[in-house]
Structure formats: C-alpha cells, structure tokens
Amino acid sequence: MKKALALLLSAALALSLVACGSNSSSTASSAASGTSSAATTTGDVANKDKPLVWFNRQPSNSSTGELDMNALNFNENTYYVGFDANQGAELQGTMIRDYIEANIDTIDRNGDGIIGYVLAIGDIGHNDSIARTRGVRRALGTAVEKDGVIDSTPVGTNADGSATAVQDGSLEINGKTYVIRELASQEMKNSAGATWDAATAGNAIGTWASSFGEEIDIVASNNDGMGMSMFNAWSKANEVPTFGYDANADAVAAIAEGYGGTISQHADVQAYLTLRVLRNALDGVDIDTGIGTADDAGNVLSDDVYYYNADERSYYALNVAVTSENYEDFMDSTKVYEPVSAQLDETAHPTKTVWLDIYNAADNFLSATYQPLLQNYDDLLNLKVEYIGGDGQTEANITNRLSNPSQYDAFAINMVKTDNAASYTALLSQ
C-alpha cells in the first residue's frame, strides 16, 4: 500500500513538473518571437498589464512636443496609432501652393500682387495642429524660425506684414513675383475651453472678412470641421478657395462646389490599426499580424499606407492629398479599407471587450468619420467596444467613466490634452 501511494505521489510530482516546464517554455518562446504573453481573460490580467492603445492624440508635452515615453511604455502591450503629421502638413502646404500657381490668373482678387491668406489654428498645444500650421507657412514661404523650429504662434491680425511670428513670402510665377502674406490667424477655442471649434472659426471668418475684404485670397484650416464652417459662412459665396484637413465626407463633397482641397489621413487605416493592435495583443500573437504580415483571413496592409516606429512604439498612417482631380475616390469616408476587410474566425479569435473614448463627441472628424470606421472594424475583429464620448474640455469628463476597468480586456484612449496620459494610467495602476 505504501509502495502504491509512493508511486502515485511520484507520478503527480512528475506531472506537476511537466506542467511548470510547459508554461515556462511557452513564455520564453513568446518573448523570443516578439509576441504578447498576456492572458486573454479579464480575470487573469491586472489592469496595468492589459493592452492599451493611445490614438489620435499622442502622449506628449504640449509645449515642446517631446513624446511621453512613460505613457508609450506603460506596459509591454502599449502602442500609439495616428498618422504622419509632418508628412501630412507638408502635403497640405504644397497643395495650397500648387493651387495658387495653377490659378494665379484669377486668385489675386483685388489685383494688388499680394496673395493674402487667413489660417484657422485648431489647438496651439496639439502636435498635429502645430505641424499643420508649420507646413502651410513653410510651403508658402511665410515661416519664421524660433529656437530652431518654425514658429507656430497665431499672429492675430497682420494687415501690413509686420507680425514677428511670420514673414512675407514670395512666389515667382510666369515671370512675375507675388507676395504671400498671412493676414490673420488664431486658435479656434470657444468660451468653454474646447479647441478645434468650428463655430468659433465660422465667427472668425466673418470678422476677418470685415477687416480684409478682397485682400483674402485663400482660407486655410488645420482641419475640415473649421474649414467647412468658414466655407459655408463666407468663402463659398465669395468664391475663395478653402483648404482643410481630414477628408471628412462633407468637405470632400464640397470640392465640387469650390472647396479647394483637403488631406486624407487614411482614417480607414488608422481605425483598423487602433483595434488590430489590441486584437493581436489579446490573442497573444505577433503584433505585426494582419498589419505587415497577413493574418489567417488574409488581412494585410502595404507599406505605402503606414509605417511603424519601434523607438516610439507608434503606428503612423500616411496621408493623401484630395483635390478636384481625385475627390470622387474619397466620397465615402466611413468605408473600411478593402485589404483589411475580412472577418476573423470567432473560434480562433474569441470576442473580447474594449473600453474606448472619443475626447470630444462633437468633433466632426472623430464622430463622423473615425468612430463609424471603428464600429465597422470592431465586428470584423470580434471586439465588443464600449464607446465613450467626452466633452472636449475636461479629462475628468472621460476618466470618471472609467470607474471599473476590471470589466474590460483592453483600452483605447483619446485624450483631451496630450499632457494628460497619467490621468488614465493612474486609474489602470490602482
């Protein structure tokens, strides 16, 4: 009897050792291959270890633009998804300059030899807004460097060209030199504190038109929400080309009515990446699956629509200029990107829950383009997403609704201010 019992205990110990060895081997293999070793149920993983994607607003210092690497390295499954702001900014500026050159015979409305433009600035502390302001100024020759970078400060009004944040630029076209002047620019911030505010932009263009009249030859905007507000309030009726950013459906459609152009930041690719990175981390597979490497359904992205910066743990979609020549290809801004539109098998990729917020439920691009795309992709990727809409003003309006993170498998966060990542990571670390 004693001998039999000893044999049973020995067998049990051997099985235990095999099991332990198996777990250790799995973890080591996962680490070696670059895949996530995260467990796949909420009960097995501490909130601080769950997959996290920052999107649209990159954790960074709003004054210097320096990335918040603590936030980007919050855990091994933390990433950022956005777009190449500098590449897009260059495209927008170049698009405006090309338009001026192609339409020089008609664009100088009062014939004074000065091509005057006004600029709607979204948020003076937002990296994307800063980049777009710099891109326009660089392309039009109105940029002034300050501390080694292009000054993105709003000028207020600059009727005589004496503002210090910009300078008069020049373009030589058909043997004639034209002055390019930023007549006015301001941050579009409403009385409640919300930035990128379309209504404020609509009011601003009325004020600028009263001051400058036919001196305004171009209207430029850091986004389409503000751009369309100015277009509808004034520039459409006065046939002044307006240029925005985001390729929102209404702006793309308005190109047929005189809207000058916009920039597609490949929101379809961004929205896919936002959820795909979470899906991969939850599945415990290589993070490149379904991105640079085809998944089991055939989903894959080509390197001409995105790139990954490993040092910044960030995925960036590339931008495309949308003008009168190609706007019809961009009419449906909420259509999923065809190369990554295949449904995942729920048996291999079981449903998981995601908490996701939109910093401002009233933001035109995020609410009318990005969120509908996310809602199309969440089904394809077998993710049950709870969408939270913020007020665009205070972080607490969002964080107060992340009271029970333990009920979610992963998180996708769109901050009000890029400096405030710690407001979220503190909640997840409790």
Side-chain angles (χ1 to χ4, degrees):
M1 183 70 176
K2 289 182 179 179
K3 184 177 180 179
L5 180 60
L7 288 171
L8 286 171
L9 289 171
S10 176
L13 179 59
L15 285 171
S16 175
L17 289 172
V18 169
C20 290
S22 175
N23 286 340
S24 299
S25 175
S26 174
T27 301
S29 174
S30 176
S33 65
T35 61
S36 166
S37 59
T40 57
T41 62
T42 55
D44 295 334
V45 187
N47 293 325
K48 65 181 180 62
D49 296 322
K50 292 176 180 178
L52 166 63
V53 168
W54 309 99
F55 71 96
N56 182 255
R57 295 191 163 207
Q58 194 168 28
S60 58
N61 184 304
S62 61
S63 298
T64 66
E66 181 181 3
L67 297 185
D68 180 353
M69 295 310 299
N70 289 328
L72 291 166
N73 286 287
F74 177 61
N75 62 36
E76 67 175 347
N77 288 314
T78 297
Y79 297 90
Y80 170 73
V81 171
F83 64 100
D84 190 327
N86 292 321
Q87 179 249 352
E90 291 290 338
L91 267 181
Q92 187 188 32
T94 301
M95 175 176 62
I96 296 171
R97 186 186 64 211
D98 289 348
Y99 186 96
I100 293 172
E101 292 175 345
N103 295 277
I104 195 61
D105 292 338
T106 58
I107 201 166
D108 184 6
R109 297 201 304 147
N110 63 359
D112 64 354
I114 299 174
I115 308 302
Y117 72 93
V118 294
L119 175 63
I121 295 174
D123 179 346
I124 58 174
H126 192 299
N127 278 0
D128 296 341
S129 186
I130 291 169
R132 294 171 198 177
T133 297
R134 289 173 174 168
V136 168
R137 290 176 176 176
R138 181 186 293 111
L140 299 183
T142 57
V144 171
E145 286 201 4
K146 180 179 179 182
D147 299 325
V149 296
I150 292 175
D151 196 342
S152 60
T153 306
V155 300
T157 56
N158 182 38
D160 60 0
S162 63
T164 57
V166 293
Q167 64 181 358
D168 280 354
S170 64
L171 277 177
E172 185 174 331
I173 307 171
N174 300 330
K176 180 178 179 179
T177 300
Y178 294 84
V179 172
I180 310 296
R181 178 173 296 167
E182 185 171 307
L183 295 170
S185 57
Q186 74 176 60
E187 179 185 41
M188 298 306 168
K189 184 176 184 177
N190 67 21
S191 59
T195 53
W196 304 87
D197 189 62
T200 302
N203 292 331
I205 193 63
T207 301
W208 290 338
S210 296
S211 299
F212 298 108
E214 290 196 347
E215 293 177 56
I216 302 174
D217 302 307
I218 293 282
V219 175
S221 174
N222 282 173
N223 78 354
D224 281 334
M226 299 182 298
M228 281 299 293
S229 182
M230 295 188 292
F231 182 70
N232 290 325
W234 180 79
S235 52
K236 178 181 178 180
N238 289 275
E239 299 182 346
V240 175
T242 302
F243 297 86
Y245 202 113
D246 289 334
N248 289 343
D250 59 341
V252 173
I255 291 176
E257 302 174 339
Y259 197 71
T262 182
I263 300 294
S264 167
Q265 52 175 279
H266 257 311
D268 49 1
V269 172
Q270 287 187 68
Y272 173 74
L273 286 168
T274 298
L275 296 182
R276 183 74 217 207
V277 168
L278 295 179
R279 178 76 262 177
N280 289 344
L282 291 166
D283 286 347
V285 300
D286 191 288
I287 203 66
D288 195 49
T289 303
I291 300 176
T293 305
D295 64 14
D296 48 14
N299 295 305
V300 67
L301 294 171
S302 56
D303 58 13
D304 61 342
V305 297
Y306 88 102
Y307 68 93
Y308 176 60
N309 185 316
D311 292 337
E312 299 174 357
R313 297 185 65 81
S314 297
Y315 285 90
Y316 298 104
L318 296 174
N319 304 265
V320 181
V322 181
T323 67
S324 59
E325 296 179 354
N326 65 347
Y327 77 96
E328 292 181 349
D329 296 334
F330 294 84
M331 293 292 283
D332 185 355
S333 64
T334 63
K335 181 182 178 181
V336 299
Y337 190 53
E338 185 64 30
V340 288
S341 59
Q343 176 73 51
L344 295 188
D345 179 2
E346 192 169 4
T347 303
H349 309 275
T351 299
K352 300 295 179 183
T353 59
V354 176
W355 186 95
L356 182 151
D357 81 277
I358 299 293
Y359 93 99
N360 185 357
D363 182 273
N364 187 265
F365 168 65
L366 290 170
S367 62
T369 299
Y370 209 106
Q371 184 169 329
L373 281 165
L374 290 168
Q375 289 170 322
N376 287 333
Y377 283 119
D378 61 18
D379 288 335
L380 294 174
L381 297 173
N382 302 325
L383 295 173
K384 183 179 180 181
V385 181
E386 180 174 348
Y387 294 92
I388 304 296
D391 62 5
Q393 300 166 32
T394 61
E395 224 70 58
N397 182 261
I398 299 169
T399 55
N400 286 345
R401 286 180 279 175
L402 186 53
S403 57
N404 187 17
S406 297
Q407 71 185 79
Y408 303 98
D409 296 298
F411 308 93
I413 295 174
N414 175 221
M415 297 172 287
V416 174
K417 292 294 182 183
T418 61
D419 309 84
N420 290 340
S423 300
Y424 298 88
T425 55
L427 286 173
L428 300 180
S429 298
Q430 292 176 0

